[in-house]
Amino acid sequence: MSFQIPRGTQDILPGEVEKWQYIENTARDLCSRYQYKEIRTPIFEHTELFSRGVGESTDIVQKEMYTFQDRKGRSITLRPEGTASTVRSFVEKKLYANPSQPTKLYYIGPMFRYERPQTGRFRQFVQFGIEALGSNDPAIDAEVISLAMNLYGTLGLKSLKLVINSLGDTASRTAHREALIAHFEPRINEFCSDCQNRLQQNPLRILDCKIDRDHELMSSAPSILEFLNEESKTYFEKVQQYLTANGISFEVDQNLVRGLDYYNHTAFEIMSDAKGFGAITTLCGGGRYNGLSQEIGGPETPGIGFALSIERLLSALEAEGVELPISSAIDCYIVTMGDQAKDRAVSLLYDMRNAGFKAEKDYEDKKMKAQFKAADRHNAKFVAVLGDDELEKNVIAVKNMDTGEQEEIGIDRLISYLKQNSK
Ligand code: HAM
C-alpha cells in the first residue's frame, strides 16, 4: 500500500524550507521593530468561535471549514484564519487589562480551508498575520498596512498594488446596506443562489461574488463611500494622509469588500502586479474589526490587522525572479584517509560544531575523491584533509576552497585557524 499527500497540502523539503525560514525570520525581525509580540493559539477551536467571529454568511463558515466532533461530541474546527483565535485569547486572557496598550500581536502558523486547490490556493497554508487591539487611532491602520508593505519590500518584491477602502462605522454600513438591498432586490432572481441568500444576510457580499461579477447591477451598485458619515470619512482621510506621509502609494477601490464579516472602517488588500503571476493575485488582506471583541463576549475593543500566506508570497517572489539571499554553505568538511584518521575526525567534528562551525564528514566509507565531491555539494568553505600519515605528525591539511590555498597546521590549531580565516 502506498500513500499520497492529501490534496491541497504540501511537504516543504530541505532546499525549499530555507526560504520559509528566511521569510519567517524577516517577518519576526520586522515585528520586533514595530513592537508586535508573538502569540501562539491552538490549531483547533470551538466551531462557534468562527461561526460567530468570521460570520455565518461567509464562504469560510458555510463551505470551507474542517469541522468534526471530538469524542465527547463537541464541535471542533481547524482554524481557517487567525483573527478570531487571537481576539478570543485577548478576551479570555484579559490582555486588555495590561497597562501597555494597544496590544500588538503577530502569529505565523498553518490555517485550514476546504477550498478547490489551485495555484496559490491550498487547503493547508501558512499565514503570517498581525493584530493591533485597543486603539482607534488611524495611525495604527497606517502602521499595520506599512508593516505588510515593508515585509514585501524588504524581501525584494516590487510589483505591488495596495488597494484600500472604508466600510464605515455601523451607522454608515446600515445606511449602505439598505441602499444595496433596494438596488438588488427587484432583480435578485437574476443572481446566483448564494447571492439570493446574501441579499438579506449580508448584501455587501454580493459585490464580491465571482459568478455574478459581470451583471450590470454590479457596476451601478451604490458605493459605500457615498454613505460614510462625517466621522467615518474623516477617519478614512486620516488613514490616507498617514499612508502618504509614509511614502506608501495606494488606490481607493470602493468595491473592495473583504470575504469576512467582521470588518468596518479600513479594509485593504495587497496584490501582485507581476507578469506571470497566477489568476489569484491577492497576496495579503486585512482591515479593521471594531465589533469583533464584543461579538465574542469581550469588552468593546477596536482592532485592526492583516494576514498573508507564505505560499502566495513565495509565488510572487518567483514571478518577479527574486532570489532570497540564502546560503547553504558549511564552514568545514573533513576528508579522511585510513581508519585512525576516521576515528580522529569524529572528535574533531564534535569540537568544530561546539565552537559554532557548520561542519560535516562522510559516513559511508567513501573514497577520497567522492569525499571531495561531497565537500563541494556542501559548498564547504574549507576542506580539512586528515590521513593516518598526518595524524602521526599531529597535523592536518586545510584547503581554502575560495582561494585554493592549502596549508598544513597542527591539529590542535584547527579551530583557531577556522576562527581566524572564516568571515
Ligand atoms: P483572508 O483574506 O481570508 O483574511 O486571508 C488573508 C490571506 O491569507 C490572503 O490574502 C492569502 O494570502 C492567504 N490565503 C487565504 N486563503 C488561502 C489559501 N486557500 N491558500 C493560500 N493562501 C491563502 C484573513 O484571513 C483575515 N484573518 C485577515 C485579517 C487579520 N484581518 C484582520 N486581521
Side-chain angles (χ1 to χ4, degrees), residues 91-324:
V91 171
E92 190 178 346
K93 300 290 157 22
K94 299 191 171 50
L95 302 186
Y96 49 80
N98 193 318
S100 145
Q101 295 296 335
T103 302
K104 304 209 290 185
L105 302 166
Y106 81 89
Y107 46 85
I108 302 177
M111 307 292 161
F112 306 84
R113 295 185 194 177
Y114 193 83
E115 293 193 85
R116 198 169 56 79
Q118 61 187 98
T119 315
R121 181 173 287 154
F122 295 85
R123 289 185 172 164
Q124 174 173 334
F125 55 96
V126 174
Q127 272 189 348
F128 160 59
I130 72 169
E131 313 292 349
L133 290 145
S135 168
N136 241 330
D137 185 338
I140 277 278
D141 302 44
E143 172 178 294
V144 164
I145 295 173
S146 76
L147 194 153
M149 292 300 281
N150 202 331
L151 176 67
Y152 290 131
T154 306
L155 291 171
L157 287 180
K158 296 205 166 64
S159 303
L160 297 170
K161 189 167 94 176
L162 167 65
V163 176
I164 62 171
N165 191 17
S166 172
L167 304 175
D169 61 7
T170 314
S172 315
R173 285 179 61 138
T174 309
H176 182 227
R177 184 192 143 87
E178 276 159 21
L180 283 173
I181 294 179
H183 178 77
F184 287 114
E185 200 164 28
R187 290 172 65 186
I188 194 65
N189 55 356
E190 296 167 27
F191 285 73
C192 71
S193 61
D194 277 350
C195 282
Q196 296 187 12
N197 292 330
R198 286 168 185 148
L199 183 71
Q200 293 302 332
Q201 270 187 337
N202 188 354
L204 197 65
R205 300 265 303 118
I206 296 179
L207 300 177
D208 202 25
C209 181
K210 307 278 176 296
I211 300 169
D212 295 317
R213 68 172 146 213
D214 296 326
H215 193 289
E216 57 174 322
L217 285 190
M218 288 295 210
S219 54
S220 57
S223 152
I224 177 68
L225 297 183
E226 296 157 29
F227 290 84
L228 293 186
N229 53 22
E230 276 316 306
E231 223 182 308
S232 303
K233 237 187 249 170
T234 313
Y235 193 92
F236 192 38
E237 277 160 14
K238 207 75 192 156
V239 173
Q240 297 179 56
Q241 181 194 318
Y242 287 137
L243 285 174
T244 307
N246 285 353
I248 297 173
S249 22
F250 58 87
E251 271 174 33
V252 175
D253 178 355
Q254 56 188 27
N255 289 323
L256 174 70
V257 181
R258 304 269 304 121
L260 301 90
D261 275 358
Y262 45 61
Y263 291 114
N264 41 51
H265 289 287
T266 316
F268 68 95
E269 288 189 352
I270 302 170
M271 339 265 192
S272 170
D273 257 354
K275 286 197 187 68
F277 195 67
I280 301 173
T281 55
T282 305
L283 299 179
C284 169
R288 205 163 247 294
Y289 47 82
N290 290 351
L292 180 57
S293 168
Q294 258 180 318
E295 183 66 36
I296 61 169
E300 202 181 322
T301 311
I304 178 162
F306 72 73
L308 60 89
S309 70
I310 314 277
E311 288 81 356
R312 288 195 195 165
L313 170 46
L314 283 165
S315 307
L317 289 169
E318 197 179 288
E320 289 199 31
V322 177
E323 291 281 341
L324 298 176

Side-chain angles (χ1 to χ4, degrees), residues 330 332-337 360-362 365-387 390 396-401 404-406:
I330 67 167
C332 185
Y333 192 96
I334 309 189
V335 169
T336 62
M337 245 180 327
E360 191 51 296
K361 74 181 272 302
D362 159 62
D365 271 334
K366 284 198 185 116
K367 298 253 157 44
M368 244 183 106
K369 203 169 157 200
Q371 291 186 48
F372 269 105
K373 271 202 181 138
D376 261 355
R377 270 197 301 276
H378 279 93
N379 252 322
K381 291 181 215 153
F382 292 93
V383 175
V385 187
L386 188 64
E390 279 94 351
I396 190 164
V398 189
K399 183 167 182 187
N400 181 328
M401 300 305 278
E405 281 165 32
Q406 183 165 326

